[in-house]
Amino acid sequence: MRVLGVDPGLTRCGVGVVEGVAGRPLTMCGVGVVRTPADAELGLRLVAIEQGIEQWLDEYEPEVVAVERVFSQHNVRTVMGTAQASAVAMLCAARRGLTVALHTPSEVKAAVTGSGRADKAQVGAMVTRLLRLDAPPKPADAADALALAICHIWRAPAQNRLQQAVAQNRLQQAAALHASKPASHHASKGRTA
């Protein structure tokens, strides 16, 4: 599985591509940051983020785009910019028919470090170790993007099993409901007047 992780932000949008499957060594394919000038008009910044993400999608052709789920922060202006950059990433993926997965910061930290309260340095150190890199990716947004991709690769098998179990349960419920309807109802459906 090849996953593009996106750590959304208006000034620095971290991007990182990781390939592999759960339980096996993972490989970093690329890591970087899509930057926009803080003094540029919002619409132009969003277009720049879109163009940057599209370039990553073209170059690395991921199967899934894992985006950090935006959560409430004290600074409304910051959370708005993060949400806007997040929406651009989701739009780019959806336009190509790619699966979009959202992971909270604590899910990512827990998956990569074992603790949902890990700090950025701990996440960077574990990303470096897990991907067998010489040094932590800089800036932290880039390391966070790789952590998102790792989190998705590791969590996807369990999530898929859960979704399959839910779908199977719904099928069984529908079959049971269909079987419990009176036989006369089934027989009368085929008759024409």
Side-chain angles (χ1 to χ4, degrees):
M1 175 186 313
R2 181 176 283 197
V3 179
L4 170 64
V6 179
D7 181 40
L10 271 180
T11 304
R12 289 184 317 275
C13 183
V15 285
V17 180
V18 177
E19 190 167 56
V21 295
R24 297 270 172 88
L26 303 174
T27 303
M28 181 187 76
C29 302
V31 65
V33 177
V34 176
R35 296 179 188 272
T36 69
D39 59 350
E41 190 263 317
L42 176 62
L44 296 176
R45 295 177 81 183
L46 295 174
V47 168
I49 291 169
E50 178 202 24
Q51 290 169 343
I53 290 172
E54 288 290 346
Q55 288 175 346
W56 279 80
L57 292 170
D58 286 342
E59 183 173 349
Y60 293 100
E61 299 180 349
E63 301 158 61
V64 177
V65 176
V67 181
E68 183 174 277
R69 183 184 298 274
V70 177
F71 65 101
S72 178
Q73 293 177 329
H74 299 297
N75 187 338
V76 174
R77 191 164 169 230
T78 301
V79 81
M80 287 299 295
T82 303
Q84 290 161 335
S86 177
V88 168
M90 290 187 280
L91 174 70
C92 291
R95 190 167 35 213
R96 292 173 183 243
L98 299 173
T99 299
V100 175
L102 299 175
H103 299 285
T104 66
S106 59
E107 287 172 346
V108 174
K109 291 173 185 178
V112 173
T113 70
S115 169
R117 297 174 180 255
D119 62 22
K120 287 200 176 283
Q122 290 169 308
V123 172
M126 282 306 295
V127 165
T128 302
R129 186 170 155 205
L130 292 168
L131 296 175
R132 301 170 313 282
L133 305 175
D134 294 332
K138 299 274 190 216
D141 309 272
D144 289 348
L146 291 171
L148 274 152
I150 293 167
C151 172
H152 184 75
I153 290 169
W154 285 355
R155 291 176 58 103
Q159 288 174 332
N160 290 343
R161 284 193 302 275
L162 180 62
Q163 289 170 348
Q164 288 169 354
V166 168
Q168 183 67 31
N169 187 29
R170 286 189 182 138
L171 283 173
Q172 289 171 348
Q173 287 176 345
L177 182 63
H178 182 70
S180 70
K181 290 192 178 179
S184 62
H185 176 73
H186 297 299
S188 66
K189 274 188 142 180
R191 277 190 250 138
T192 55

